[in-house]
Amino acid sequence: MSLALLSLEARRRLRNRRAMIFSVLLPVAFFLMFTTTDYSSTPYGNGNVVANMMIGMALYGALMTTTGAGAAVSNERASGWSRQLRLTPLKPIAYITAKAIVGMLISVLAIGAVYAFGPYRHAQMPASAWITSALIIWLGSLVFVAFGQFIGYVLPSDNAMQVVGPLMALLAFLGGMFIPLTPGSTMDRIGSLTPMYGLHNLALWPMGGKTFSWWWMANVLTWLAIFLGGAAWRMGRDTARV
């Protein structure tokens, strides 16, 4: 691992104002728009609906952050930066790991920003659920580092980020992060096959609103394998400046 590369990646990501707005400020804005203090009296598990929506928006922000960090490879391929790195002793695994670390570090900002506004909307759940849900979101967002890298290697730089935003919004909707899915409904069955479904339900599980399902874990691990395999495959074929 090159500490110089890691520092460079972190500075570049933090200086990208548009990326920071979409991954940190936008989820906070959504949370404030979609919730009111009236929701604080509506129970969900051992908390309330505000806490449920807070978890969903924090997850959305974390996934936008990690996906954007991974998808940045599209710009680096277009500019020739990735080719330059291949001429150095830097190993590909170090390059990928640096992006994953930066994405995970900045996702803490997205999670923390949404959680910080939770008390303002009277989000309520046990202290253990606050900590556990945030930890699940943070660790689970690693799945979407691989997703972003796969997208970055598949699409050219002009299209990658334009595709990522709408695609992430669609996946969040299918995963029940914007509108709760009725258990057993057609949308719930469709959503259960999408990448965010399992991770979202795992993040909500500490609130005690649903019985734990191993399908959530299977969903997360399956999509992680698909994204990692796809990113590794495309990276192996990436030998020319695109």
Side-chain angles (χ1 to χ4, degrees), residues 92-178:
I93 187 62
Y95 172 65
I96 297 299
T97 302
K99 290 199 171 296
I101 292 174
V102 170
M104 295 293 285
L105 288 176
I106 297 180
S107 71
V108 173
L109 299 179
I111 298 169
V114 176
Y115 271 53
F117 280 87
Y120 174 71
R121 287 296 199 217
H122 304 293
Q124 296 177 1
M125 56 181 172
S128 59
W130 284 81
I131 297 171
T132 306
S133 61
L135 187 60
I136 291 173
I137 292 171
W138 183 65
L139 293 175
S141 63
L142 181 63
V143 175
F144 280 77
V145 175
F147 172 69
Q149 290 172 351
F150 177 60
I151 293 294
Y153 279 116
V154 170
L155 299 176
S157 61
D158 293 340
N159 297 330
M161 298 312 296
Q162 296 177 10
V163 170
V164 165
L167 181 58
M168 292 294 287
L170 175 61
L171 293 176
F173 174 78
L174 293 174
M177 293 160 59
F178 293 157

Side-chain angles (χ1 to χ4, degrees), residues 160-230:
M161 298 312 296
Q162 296 177 10
V163 170
V164 165
L167 181 58
M168 292 294 287
L170 175 61
L171 293 176
F173 174 78
L174 293 174
M177 293 160 59
F178 293 157
I179 301 176
L181 302 176
T182 303
S185 66
T186 300
M187 288 302 299
D188 183 63
R189 289 194 292 270
I190 295 173
S192 67
L193 302 176
T194 60
M196 294 187 189
Y197 182 89
L199 188 53
H200 182 218
N201 281 285
L202 284 173
L204 291 176
W205 175 62
M207 291 189 66
K210 294 184 178 181
T211 303
F212 179 83
S213 172
W214 285 105
W215 173 251
W216 304 339
M217 288 296 299
N219 176 280
V220 171
L221 295 177
T222 298
W223 282 109
L224 175 61
I226 291 173
F227 294 150
L228 282 176

Side-chain angles (χ1 to χ4, degrees), residues 8-27:
L8 175 63
E9 288 287 342
R11 291 199 303 269
R12 288 174 61 189
R13 189 64 184 169
L14 290 171
R15 289 172 180 169
N16 189 332
R17 294 181 181 178
R18 186 170 66 174
M20 295 302 296
I21 288 174
F22 275 98
S23 59
V24 178
L25 298 183
L26 190 61

